[in-house]
Amino acid sequence: MDHGRNCISRQDICCMLDRLGLLPESKPGYSINKVKNHVAGYAEEAVRRAYSNGVINGMPDGYMKLQEGVTRQDICCIFDNMGVLKTNDSKYDFMRTASTEVDNIPSPYASLAVAKALNSKLIVGDQKGDFKLKSMVSRQDFIVFMDRLGLLD
């Protein structure tokens, strides 16, 4: 599934985090099925590190969708899994926003992480109050998120 050239993929995120030294060594006993998950050779070790440390998770069917684009709510989950969100406050009234569009209501798997991200100002809404949680993230967006978290210092 191609979500566009400007979207960042899960394996690209793993590589960027690894290059910045933000991923610990791989935990023993974790292997990645390269055929099933289509891991590019350059990303294999970074993906293994991210997966073995719980930064990215597989789907119930065993696939990690490594080459698919990542949404804003997925980014919240990745940073929450890394433990770098600046708050543990996971309460947020999503219906209080100026816009009650579906894009402002996180999927159940992401609701706690999104609340933490909103409370720590990782995700900022636009003038209408839209968070665009299900919009795809570009490399540029990802770099802005890392900067907001102070990961680029």
Side-chain angles (χ1 to χ4, degrees):
M1 183 183 297
D2 184 359
H3 291 287
R5 291 181 188 201
N6 294 324
C7 298
I8 191 167
S9 69
R10 283 174 175 76
Q11 72 181 3
D12 291 339
I13 287 172
C14 294
C15 288
M16 288 177 85
L17 294 173
D18 195 42
R19 285 184 191 128
L20 289 169
L22 297 172
L23 294 177
E25 290 298 318
S26 298
K27 293 181 180 176
Y30 282 87
S31 64
I32 306 294
N33 182 332
K34 290 195 298 188
V35 175
K36 186 176 186 181
N37 283 296
H38 308 289
V39 181
Y42 70 88
E44 187 175 349
E45 183 55 32
V47 168
R48 184 179 295 111
R49 287 179 189 212
Y51 178 66
S52 73
N53 287 289
V55 174
I56 60 169
N57 299 303
M59 306 298 156
D61 62 5
Y63 289 94
M64 286 190 261
K65 300 182 181 180
L66 294 169
Q67 296 183 6
E68 288 188 16
V70 178
T71 64
R72 291 167 65 90
Q73 69 181 356
D74 293 334
I75 291 295
C76 296
C77 291
I78 288 169
F79 286 129
D80 189 35
N81 291 344
M82 288 177 66
V84 295
L85 294 180
K86 297 175 181 168
T87 182
N88 285 323
D89 184 2
S90 60
K91 293 184 171 97
Y92 194 89
D93 181 4
F94 292 103
M95 300 313 272
R96 78 174 179 188
T97 60
S99 172
T100 55
E101 296 202 19
V102 173
D103 225 18
N104 284 328
I105 310 299
S107 300
Y109 76 88
S111 61
L112 292 177
V114 169
K116 288 180 186 180
L118 291 170
N119 288 327
S120 67
K121 306 293 188 232
L122 173 64
I123 301 287
V124 181
D126 63 14
Q127 298 88 339
K128 296 188 301 182
D130 291 334
F131 300 121
K132 301 183 182 340
L133 296 173
K134 296 176 178 97
S135 294
M136 293 293 153
V137 173
S138 68
R139 289 172 183 269
Q140 176 177 300
D141 295 331
F142 186 69
I143 291 168
V144 168
F145 293 145
M146 288 193 305
D147 187 50
R148 286 182 186 162
L149 290 170
L151 299 175
L152 299 178
D153 296 334

